[in-house]
């Protein structure tokens, strides 16, 4: 602390020493001052949290291998109050569970955290090892924290809070063979008991959401909480319906889900699922087919509760926007793709954006098309030049396609073959690894993470040709109203991105040669940004890495006013920082939700100097590398 606390403040600090405290929301500390009254505390209600700054941590090293093999937090936080006094906090990481643990099911029994289920909600068993066991995920990802007005879950002593957690994939089976994309992604609702005094969260109930009404889920990655309190999920790397007969990954997925390698329909996947939490701690799932079939990741709905900006984690991906017909209802609306009109080349490049309307539809009508159509019904796709002027050449997934839309199939093409149709319509399909999206509502700035700048972003194949660090950058997009699309028609939104440029303080730095630990990007800067979330109250952009260039991935805080970048957390080596969700106020407390996935996912070129030392430690910590953590950042007050 920079100033000694008065007697009442000292009593409060002593009272909560050793207990988790989440003092990030404006009301939290004031509430504590009021609740712990006595003496001079009569003035406490006027004390408000004015600002927060973070103090960083060094990247872990082989000088202490244990810190490289677990989630390590050596950062802190300083809070400044309206009375001019300050309080320092030490941050720490708290888990709800390591996947594969048996957790309470709310009925007196237990269930397997991260467990996989088929279309009939029966456990999917891994029979590849000596002893069969239910598959569980080592890849928890998107997380949303929310509350309902009248929860009914028994066993909660404080406030009832819910978290929705999705699991992207399972890395491997017991035999060590890859299971990527071969299991239907589970989503769970966690009922949490929030201590009314400290804000600490305790798991009371784990419920696996029945996704069978949505035909199961495919590779659920980043997520966000909608303004109307639902969980907006994702399905990335949509299966290519034109070559589905030879897609062994999708056949494996279908076999796991239906018990039949040919039953799953590729047009049912690559959409935007929405999870609604019920007061009893259960949840329901539906998919919005009218938001485009792309590599969905981390959709962000703007404050108008109608405009959604979507990440597209693909090679030859696009920047897509959806404007719903009605607020709080994503079941119908208009889909757009951006055209990148380049204004600079270096340092990640920059551009103004023009928007191209792809179509208007309801989810129900596109679902009906998905149920009945095959790829050949929608368009003729060639992978070699047919020397026919009726075909249009486009860039698709790192190669060229020549396509011709079948007569009357424009709507089906726009919403079920969105990547191909967007290129056909003139959209810039040159983005690579476009990951998380978030919004700074006060300044009307959206942020989009590009995890890697390469291939299509540099070679012009999809209408983009820039120079930038291969380890990626976070881009800022200014938003305005009164915009028109490429045809001159008005866009019915006040939240339309009009330009796009890399944020200088969030531009990665490639290294000419690896450093002493093996990093190929500067470890003091963000590299391969993936999950991003903005906190309005803290004026802070949180950035989680999915890096093939850092030996350990990090979670960062970037203050958009001071431009200060601070490392908050380090994940186990080989793991990706996921599940990021910044919550400004949950019953007077704020939270930074944070998970990781696939600890010890070794790359010989990146982890060659650390693997031998760290692999046994990570195996001991995380169920022989089959487990991963779901949790959040907490804090402890430092005594003065």
């Amino acid at each position: 602390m920079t100033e000694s606390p008065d007697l009442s403040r000292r009593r409060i600090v002593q009272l909560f020493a050793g207990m988790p405290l989440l003092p990030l929301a404006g009301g939290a500390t004031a509430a504590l001052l009021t609740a712990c009254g006595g003496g001079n505390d009569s003035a406490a209600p006027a004390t408000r949290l004015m600002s927060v700054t973070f103090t960083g941590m060094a990247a872990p090293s082989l000088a202490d291998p244990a810190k490289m093999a677990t989630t390590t937090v050596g950062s802190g936080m300083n809070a400044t109050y309206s009375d001019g006094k300050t309080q320092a906090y030490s941050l720490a990481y708290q888990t709800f569970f390591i996947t594969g643990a048996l957790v309470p099911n709310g009925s007196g029994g237990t269930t397997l955290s991260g467990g996989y289920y088929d279309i009939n909600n029966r456990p999917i068993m891994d029979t590849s090892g000596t002893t069969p066991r239910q598959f569980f995920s080592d890849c928890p990802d998107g997380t949303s924290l929310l509350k309902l007005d009248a929860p009914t879950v028994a066993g909660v002593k404080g406030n009832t809070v819910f978290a929705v957690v999705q699991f992207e994939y399972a890395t491997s089976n017991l035999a060590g063979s890859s299971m990527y994309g071969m299991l239907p992604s589970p989503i769970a609702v966690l009922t949490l008991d929030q201590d009314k005094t400290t804000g600490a969260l305790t798991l009371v109930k784990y419920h696996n959401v029945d996704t069978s009404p949505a035909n199961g889920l495919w590779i659920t990655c980043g997520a966000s909480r909608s303004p109307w309190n639902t969980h907006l999920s994702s399905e990335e790397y949509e299966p290519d319906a034109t070559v589905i007969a030879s897609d062994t990954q999708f056949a494996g997925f279908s076999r796991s889900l239906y018990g039949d390698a040919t039953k799953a329909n590729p047009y049912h996947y690559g959409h935007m699922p929405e999870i609604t939490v019920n007061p009893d701690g259960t949840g329901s799932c539906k998919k919005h087919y009218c938001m485009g079939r792309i590599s969905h990741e981390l959709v962000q709905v703007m404050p108008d509760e109608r405009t959604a900006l979507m990440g597209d984690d693909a090679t030859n991906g696009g920047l897509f926007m959806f404007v719903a017909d009605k607020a709080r209802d994503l079941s119908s609306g208009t889909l757009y793709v951006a055209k990148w009109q380049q204004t600079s080349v270096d340092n990640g490049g920059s551009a103004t954006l023009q928007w191209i309307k792809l179509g208007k539809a309801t989810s129900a009508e596109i679902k009906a098309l998905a149920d009945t159509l095959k790829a050949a019904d929608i368009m003729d796709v060639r992978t070699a030049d047919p020397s026919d002027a009726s075909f249009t050449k486009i860039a698709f997934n790192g190669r060229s396609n020549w396509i011709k839309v079948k007569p009357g199939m424009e709507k089906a093409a726009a919403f079920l073959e969105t990547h191909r149709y967007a290129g056909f319509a003139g959209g810039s399909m040159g983005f690579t690894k476009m990951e998380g999206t978030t919004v700074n509502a006060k300044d009307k700035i959206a942020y989009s993470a590009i995890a890697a700048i390469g291939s299509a972003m540099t070679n012009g194949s999809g209408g983009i040709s820039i120079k930038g660090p291969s380890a990626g950058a976070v881009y800022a997009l200014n938003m305005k109203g009164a915009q028109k699309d490429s045809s001159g028609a008005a866009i019915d939104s006040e939240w339309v991105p009009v330009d796009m440029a890399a944020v200088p303080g969030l531009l990665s730095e490639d290294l000419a040669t690896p450093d002493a630990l093996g990093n190929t990007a500067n470890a003091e800067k963000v590299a391969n940004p993936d999950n991003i979330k903005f906190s309005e109250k803290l004026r802070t952009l949180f950035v989680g890495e999915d890096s093939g260039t850092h030996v350990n991935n990090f979670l960062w805080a970037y203050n958009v006013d001071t431009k200060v970048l601070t490392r908050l957390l380090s994940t186990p080596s080989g793991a990706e920082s996921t599940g990021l969700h910044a919550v400004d106020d949950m019953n007077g407390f704020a939270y930074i939700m944070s998970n990781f996935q696939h600890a010890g996912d070794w790359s010989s070129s990146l982890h060659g100097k650390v693997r031998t030392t760290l692999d046994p430690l990570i195996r001991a910590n995380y169920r022989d590398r089959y487990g991963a953590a779901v949790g959040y950042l907490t804090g402890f007050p430092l005594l003065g």
Side-chain angles (χ1 to χ4, degrees):
M1 296 198 310
T2 60
E3 188 171 346
S4 297
D6 58 25
L7 181 61
S8 61
R9 190 182 297 269
R10 183 177 295 278
R11 286 205 313 274
I12 294 165
V13 171
Q14 290 172 341
L15 176 63
F16 292 107
M19 298 177 65
L21 177 66
L22 307 212
L24 303 181
T29 301
L32 288 174
L33 289 167
T34 304
C36 300
N40 296 323
D41 288 352
S42 59
T47 304
R48 295 180 297 109
L49 182 67
M50 300 300 292
S51 65
V52 162
T53 58
F54 293 99
T55 56
M57 58 174 279
S61 72
L62 286 175
D64 191 347
K67 290 184 177 180
M68 297 186 70
T70 190
T71 299
T72 298
V73 182
S75 53
M77 188 183 72
N78 294 301
T80 301
Y81 302 98
S82 56
D83 61 4
K85 295 176 181 174
T86 62
Q87 173 67 57
Y89 298 88
S90 175
L91 298 182
Y93 185 67
Q94 179 69 44
T95 61
F96 298 127
F97 53 80
I98 304 298
T99 57
L102 292 174
V103 292
N105 65 6
S107 302
T110 58
T111 190
L112 183 70
S113 58
Y116 284 88
Y117 299 85
D118 67 13
I119 197 69
N120 297 308
N121 292 301
R122 297 174 301 202
I124 301 175
M125 303 302 292
D126 182 356
T127 59
S128 68
T130 303
T131 304
R133 73 180 186 191
Q134 183 181 357
F135 274 109
F136 60 89
S137 177
D138 62 328
C139 295
D141 207 302
T143 300
S144 296
L145 195 68
L146 54 91
K147 63 179 179 178
L148 302 178
D149 290 336
T152 61
V153 182
V156 177
K157 298 177 181 179
N159 298 315
T160 300
V161 176
F162 299 103
V164 183
V165 181
Q166 59 194 44
F167 300 88
E168 185 177 358
Y169 61 93
T171 298
S172 61
N173 60 18
L174 288 168
S177 300
S178 174
M179 293 300 298
Y180 180 78
M182 300 181 74
L183 295 166
S185 295
I187 289 188
V189 176
L190 313 183
T191 302
L192 305 171
D193 187 343
Q194 183 193 48
D195 188 291
K196 292 183 179 181
T197 303
T198 68
L201 301 173
T202 305
L203 179 64
V204 171
K205 176 181 178 179
Y206 180 108
H207 171 78
N208 190 70
V209 175
D210 179 7
T211 63
S212 61
N215 300 296
L217 301 182
W218 168 268
I219 312 181
T220 55
C221 196
S224 64
R225 185 182 66 188
S226 74
W228 52 94
N229 219 28
T230 60
H231 175 86
L232 302 181
S233 181
S234 57
E235 291 185 313
E236 68 176 7
Y237 308 127
E238 78 282 8
D240 185 353
T242 69
V243 293
I244 207 65
S246 60
D247 189 335
T248 57
Q249 179 195 47
F250 190 70
F253 169 84
S254 182
R255 188 180 299 109
S256 296
L257 181 61
Y258 289 107
D260 181 339
T262 63
K263 189 169 184 179
N265 176 351
Y267 283 137
H268 286 160
Y269 308 98
H271 302 286
M272 210 292 295
E274 182 174 16
I275 309 299
T276 300
V277 176
N278 302 317
D280 64 354
T282 62
S284 61
C285 175
K286 62 181 177 182
K287 288 182 186 176
H288 296 294
Y289 283 73
C290 53
M291 297 181 73
R293 184 170 169 269
I294 59 174
S295 189
H296 280 286
E297 175 153 358
L298 226 169
V299 60
Q300 176 65 55
V301 177
M302 300 303 160
D304 64 354
E305 302 184 342
R306 295 176 55 245
T307 305
L309 197 63
M310 297 176 280
D312 183 23
D313 185 2
T315 301
N316 291 114
L319 177 63
F320 292 92
M321 178 177 66
F322 178 79
V323 181
D325 292 333
K326 297 187 295 184
R328 301 190 167 205
D329 183 356
L330 300 175
S331 66
S332 66
T334 305
L335 181 65
Y336 298 88
V337 67
K339 185 175 183 63
W340 168 278
Q341 299 173 313
Q342 194 156 295
T343 55
S344 69
V345 172
D346 295 325
N347 299 316
S350 62
T352 58
L353 300 174
Q354 183 184 62
W355 290 93
I356 298 170
K357 179 180 175 179
L358 298 180
K360 179 178 172 62
T362 68
S363 183
E365 65 179 314
I366 302 305
K367 170 67 162 55
L369 295 175
D371 290 345
T372 57
L373 296 177
K374 305 295 184 186
D377 300 325
I378 300 173
M379 61 175 57
D380 190 348
V381 178
R382 309 288 179 88
T383 56
D385 189 348
S387 300
D388 182 338
S390 65
F391 283 79
T392 300
K393 182 181 179 181
I394 63 163
F396 179 80
N397 198 28
R399 60 186 302 183
S400 295
N401 278 190
W402 288 259
I403 68 170
K404 180 165 60 175
V405 179
K406 297 292 182 70
M409 286 292 165
E410 289 78 9
K411 180 171 285 191
F415 291 93
L416 295 178
E417 287 290 344
T418 309
H419 275 137
R420 289 185 169 100
Y421 189 76
F424 171 83
S428 294
M429 304 301 291
F431 292 100
T432 56
K433 299 292 293 178
M434 180 180 284
E435 307 268 1
T437 304
T438 191
V439 62
N440 168 355
K442 178 183 177 181
D443 299 331
K444 292 195 80 167
I445 298 174
Y447 299 99
S448 184
I450 301 292
I453 297 173
S455 60
M457 283 193 78
T458 60
N459 64 21
S461 63
I464 302 173
S465 182
I466 57 94
K467 298 177 182 178
S470 63
V474 175
Y475 286 73
L477 298 82
N478 292 295
M479 296 181 290
K480 296 180 179 180
Q483 300 300 301
K484 295 182 179 181
D485 67 21
S486 60
S487 72
I491 300 175
D492 185 18
S493 172
E494 294 298 311
W495 297 84
V496 178
V498 296
D499 56 27
M500 183 171 180
V503 178
L506 295 173
L507 193 69
S508 66
E509 181 185 337
D510 300 330
L511 299 178
T513 58
D515 66 14
L517 201 60
N519 294 301
T520 59
N522 188 343
E524 301 308 311
K525 296 184 177 182
V526 169
N528 306 110
D530 188 325
N531 280 210
I532 57 174
K533 289 294 172 66
F534 186 74
S535 167
E536 295 285 345
K537 286 189 176 181
L538 303 184
R539 298 286 294 164
T540 297
L541 182 64
F542 296 97
V543 182
E545 297 180 338
D546 176 11
S547 172
T549 57
H550 282 170
V551 173
N552 286 83
N553 281 322
F554 308 121
L555 173 63
W556 302 86
Y558 178 75
N559 187 291
V560 298
D561 298 320
T562 66
K563 317 300 183 189
V564 173
L565 179 68
T566 307
R567 182 176 13 239
L568 299 183
L569 175 152
S570 173
T571 65
S573 186
E576 172 187 346
S577 176
T578 63
L580 178 61
H581 181 38
V583 182
D584 277 345
D585 191 347
M586 184 64 65
N587 299 317
F589 295 92
Y591 298 87
I592 305 170
M593 314 304 291
S594 181
N595 309 329
F596 70 76
Q597 59 180 225
H598 56 68
D601 185 11
W602 304 121
S603 162
S604 57
S605 59
L606 178 64
H607 300 105
K609 297 179 181 179
V610 303
R611 177 175 180 173
T612 300
T613 301
L614 299 184
D615 189 67
L617 298 177
I618 287 177
R619 289 181 182 276
N621 288 340
Y622 302 112
R623 307 188 194 284
D624 203 26
R625 284 179 34 200
Y626 287 94
V630 175
Y632 66 102
L633 277 175
T634 183
F636 298 88
L638 297 176
L639 296 177

